[in-house]
Amino acid sequence: MKNYLIDVYIADDHQMVCEGLSELINESGKAHVSRTFNTLEACRLVLEERRPDVLLLDLSMPDGDGVAFCQQTVSNYPNVRIVAVTIHDEYSVIQRMMECGAHGYVLKSSPIEELIEAIVSVWQKREYVSPQVEAILREGKSSSVVLTDVEAHILRLICDGMTNPQIATQLHLSTETVSWYRKRLLAKYGIKNTASLVRLAVEKKIV
């Protein structure tokens, strides 16, 4: 290993998370956080000018889908190593992220030692998933997202372009109930917006 600190960027919409992780990573003596971002757009603009060795990326960002951002970044800047740092422990989300080119995946509940190990591992051109994530991947599709009949029906109607009031009328539900189901579907798949949900449903043939 070369004798210098690994340059790290963090993209996470929670400032306290950025500050806390930065302090712990800097104290490790193995890496240094030089920039943090609370939006994907801010991160994208800086990447156009300067790239880090490793990017720690949250998947739930206020201005876009972290999975799609990962895929775009890997395509544009193949030398940037990306580690997902997230609360999402669903098999389908992990699988999508790794398929889109992420080099590592660590849950926010993991100890800092695992995150440091992930940073060093991906910098050394090795993939890294935390033990919890590895266990989920081993279980495979048994850990995948399971939809109830109502959720599946609503997802189909969303893919047909129907609005919440239209779905509510068709299914004899309140608009508030449909809104709750829509948010629940986004959370299950670790997706920020409806457009990404529809794209996933079509690509994966969920509906």
Side-chain angles (χ1 to χ4, degrees), residues 2-102:
K2 295 181 180 179
N3 188 28
Y4 63 83
L5 297 180
I6 304 166
D7 186 29
V8 177
Y9 286 178
I10 301 176
D12 191 295
D13 62 333
H14 294 93
Q15 186 60 32
M16 290 182 65
V17 172
C18 288
E19 292 175 357
L21 288 181
S22 295
E23 183 177 353
L24 293 169
I25 291 168
N26 293 343
E27 288 176 353
S28 73
K30 297 180 179 180
H32 177 76
V33 177
S34 60
R35 298 293 298 266
T36 64
F37 310 94
N38 298 132
T39 66
L40 295 177
E41 182 60 22
C43 184
R44 182 181 293 108
L45 290 174
V46 172
L47 287 174
E48 291 177 357
E49 302 297 329
R50 181 179 180 275
R51 266 77 65 189
D53 297 314
V54 177
L55 170 63
L56 305 183
L57 177 63
D58 188 14
L59 304 189
S60 300
M61 298 291 283
D63 60 337
D65 177 8
V67 179
F69 183 80
C70 171
Q71 187 174 35
Q72 180 185 47
T73 302
V74 169
S75 176
N76 292 339
Y77 312 113
N79 290 330
V80 176
R81 312 293 286 178
I82 297 179
V83 178
V85 183
T86 177
I87 63 171
H88 293 293
D89 60 358
E90 301 91 347
Y91 172 82
S92 60
V93 177
I94 298 170
Q95 191 71 10
R96 284 180 59 228
M97 190 63 177
M98 301 307 286
E99 288 176 353
C100 285

